[in-house]
Structures are given as C-alpha cells and as structure tokens.
Amino acid sequence: MKGQGGFTLVELVVVIAIIVTLLAVATLYFLQFNERYQVDSLTKEIYSALMRARNAAVTSGVPHIADFAAGDPFHLQVGPDADGDGVIDSPPRLVGTVVSDIQSPGFRIVLNNAPIVFDRRGLANQDQTLTIGVGNLKFGATPGCIAIASTRINVGKMEGANCVQR
C-alpha cells in the first residue's frame, strides 16, 4: 500500500465538521439579515401608509383614520372618515382618498393609543409622541419604530424603551 495517496477517515470528518460549522454561522447571519430587512420594510410600509393618509386628508379636506388591530397577523387599515363617526368609510368613494390594508404575520406592534386620526389640516390627534414598535425579534433584529406627533411622523430604531429617530 506504499505510494497510494488518499484521505484518512479522520481528515474527512474534520473537513466536514468545519464545513458544517461555517454553514451554521452563515445561516445565522443570513436569518438576522433577513429579519432586519423585514423589520425595516414593514416599518417603512407603515410610515408610507401614515404619510399617504396624512397627505390625502390635506388634499381631499376629509379626515383620514389609521386604525391598528394587534394580533397575528397585525392589521393596519387606513382610509377616509367623511361622516366623522371615527370609523373608516366603507366603501370609500371619495376622489383623492387613500385606502391601505397592511397585514404582516409574525410581527408585533406596540401601541400606546389607537386609532390615529388626521384632520383636514394633516394634524394627528396626538398631544404626545406615539411610538409604534415593529419587530418579532426572533433572531435579534433591532425593532423599528415610528414616532407620531401632532405635526410630524418620524421613523427610527428602538433603543431600550426609547424611539431614536433617524
């Protein structure tokens, strides 16, 4: 058997163990990256729906409501409230209004107060800043947040219990 090259069983096991370890680390980083992307995407989608509602309230002169329903999937419905009863009109038939329905399974929303009403001047019915925490945090992503004051809407990241705006 002299002169025949090959690999021993120990060498093969060591190489396979190294490959498995590298794949496990790469998978963990990919899952964290994917979760971070999903949190950012959902935060931006909520922000966009709120801004569209605010702009539609100003342009149409009709108050718009953003109504959050917690649960899995959480629900965000945005639409006009022409009759002023505090409920989104169904079906909305006004020109220039925005209607959004966002659902996202596996994500939690932390709300202090709901629903949010934008009056015809685009002002929210908030005396204080409202923070919406977005994230399921399964793989350690930092949750996003949206701070809503009566005159502005800002996107940020949660640091502890505070929403740090970008």
Short mmCIF file of all heavy atoms in Angstrom, two decimals, residues 5-19:
data_model
loop_
_atom_site.label_atom_id
_atom_site.label_comp_id
_atom_site.label_asym_id
_atom_site.label_seq_id
_atom_site.Cartn_x
_atom_site.Cartn_y
_atom_site.Cartn_z
N GLY A 5 -1.90 7.52 -2.44
CA GLY A 5 -2.36 8.70 -1.70
C GLY A 5 -3.85 8.58 -1.42
O GLY A 5 -4.58 7.87 -2.09
N GLY A 6 -4.28 9.31 -0.42
CA GLY A 6 -5.71 9.32 -0.08
C GLY A 6 -5.94 10.09 1.20
O GLY A 6 -5.01 10.62 1.81
N PHE A 7 -7.18 10.12 1.57
CA PHE A 7 -7.56 10.81 2.80
C PHE A 7 -7.93 9.79 3.86
O PHE A 7 -8.57 8.78 3.56
CB PHE A 7 -8.77 11.72 2.57
CG PHE A 7 -8.51 12.80 1.57
CD1 PHE A 7 -9.05 12.73 0.29
CD2 PHE A 7 -7.72 13.90 1.89
CE1 PHE A 7 -8.81 13.73 -0.64
CE2 PHE A 7 -7.48 14.89 0.98
CZ PHE A 7 -8.03 14.80 -0.30
N THR A 8 -7.59 10.07 5.06
CA THR A 8 -8.00 9.19 6.15
C THR A 8 -9.40 9.58 6.59
O THR A 8 -9.90 10.67 6.28
CB THR A 8 -7.04 9.31 7.35
OG1 THR A 8 -7.14 10.63 7.89
CG2 THR A 8 -5.60 9.00 6.95
N LEU A 9 -10.02 8.72 7.30
CA LEU A 9 -11.37 8.97 7.80
C LEU A 9 -11.38 10.17 8.75
O LEU A 9 -12.30 10.99 8.73
CB LEU A 9 -11.91 7.73 8.50
CG LEU A 9 -13.34 7.81 9.03
CD1 LEU A 9 -14.30 8.09 7.88
CD2 LEU A 9 -13.72 6.55 9.76
N VAL A 10 -10.35 10.32 9.54
CA VAL A 10 -10.25 11.44 10.47
C VAL A 10 -10.18 12.76 9.71
O VAL A 10 -10.83 13.74 10.06
CB VAL A 10 -9.03 11.27 11.40
CG1 VAL A 10 -8.82 12.51 12.26
CG2 VAL A 10 -9.18 10.05 12.27
N GLU A 11 -9.41 12.83 8.65
CA GLU A 11 -9.30 14.04 7.85
C GLU A 11 -10.65 14.40 7.23
O GLU A 11 -11.03 15.58 7.22
CB GLU A 11 -8.25 13.87 6.75
CG GLU A 11 -6.82 13.78 7.27
CD GLU A 11 -5.83 13.44 6.18
OE1 GLU A 11 -6.20 12.73 5.22
OE2 GLU A 11 -4.68 13.88 6.30
N LEU A 12 -11.37 13.43 6.72
CA LEU A 12 -12.69 13.68 6.13
C LEU A 12 -13.68 14.20 7.18
O LEU A 12 -14.43 15.15 6.92
CB LEU A 12 -13.24 12.41 5.49
CG LEU A 12 -12.65 12.04 4.14
CD1 LEU A 12 -13.17 10.69 3.67
CD2 LEU A 12 -12.95 13.10 3.11
N VAL A 13 -13.65 13.63 8.36
CA VAL A 13 -14.57 14.06 9.43
C VAL A 13 -14.24 15.49 9.85
O VAL A 13 -15.15 16.32 10.05
CB VAL A 13 -14.51 13.09 10.62
CG1 VAL A 13 -15.23 13.66 11.83
CG2 VAL A 13 -15.10 11.75 10.24
N VAL A 14 -12.98 15.84 9.95
CA VAL A 14 -12.58 17.20 10.34
C VAL A 14 -13.03 18.21 9.28
O VAL A 14 -13.59 19.26 9.60
CB VAL A 14 -11.05 17.28 10.57
CG1 VAL A 14 -10.59 18.72 10.68
CG2 VAL A 14 -10.68 16.51 11.82
N VAL A 15 -12.84 17.91 8.02
CA VAL A 15 -13.24 18.82 6.94
C VAL A 15 -14.76 18.99 6.93
O VAL A 15 -15.27 20.12 6.80
CB VAL A 15 -12.72 18.31 5.58
CG1 VAL A 15 -13.37 19.07 4.43
CG2 VAL A 15 -11.21 18.43 5.51
N ILE A 16 -15.50 17.92 7.08
CA ILE A 16 -16.97 18.01 7.11
C ILE A 16 -17.43 18.82 8.32
O ILE A 16 -18.36 19.63 8.21
CB ILE A 16 -17.59 16.59 7.08
CG1 ILE A 16 -17.36 15.96 5.71
CG2 ILE A 16 -19.08 16.65 7.40
CD1 ILE A 16 -17.78 14.53 5.60
N ALA A 17 -16.79 18.64 9.47
CA ALA A 17 -17.16 19.41 10.67
C ALA A 17 -16.91 20.90 10.45
O ALA A 17 -17.73 21.75 10.85
CB ALA A 17 -16.38 18.91 11.88
N ILE A 18 -15.81 21.25 9.79
CA ILE A 18 -15.53 22.66 9.50
C ILE A 18 -16.57 23.23 8.55
O ILE A 18 -17.08 24.34 8.75
CB ILE A 18 -14.09 22.81 8.94
CG1 ILE A 18 -13.06 22.52 10.03
CG2 ILE A 18 -13.89 24.21 8.35
CD1 ILE A 18 -11.64 22.44 9.52
N ILE A 19 -16.93 22.50 7.53
CA ILE A 19 -17.94 22.96 6.57
C ILE A 19 -19.30 23.15 7.25
O ILE A 19 -19.98 24.17 7.03
CB ILE A 19 -18.04 21.98 5.38
CG1 ILE A 19 -16.77 22.07 4.53
CG2 ILE A 19 -19.27 22.28 4.52
CD1 ILE A 19 -16.68 21.01 3.45
#
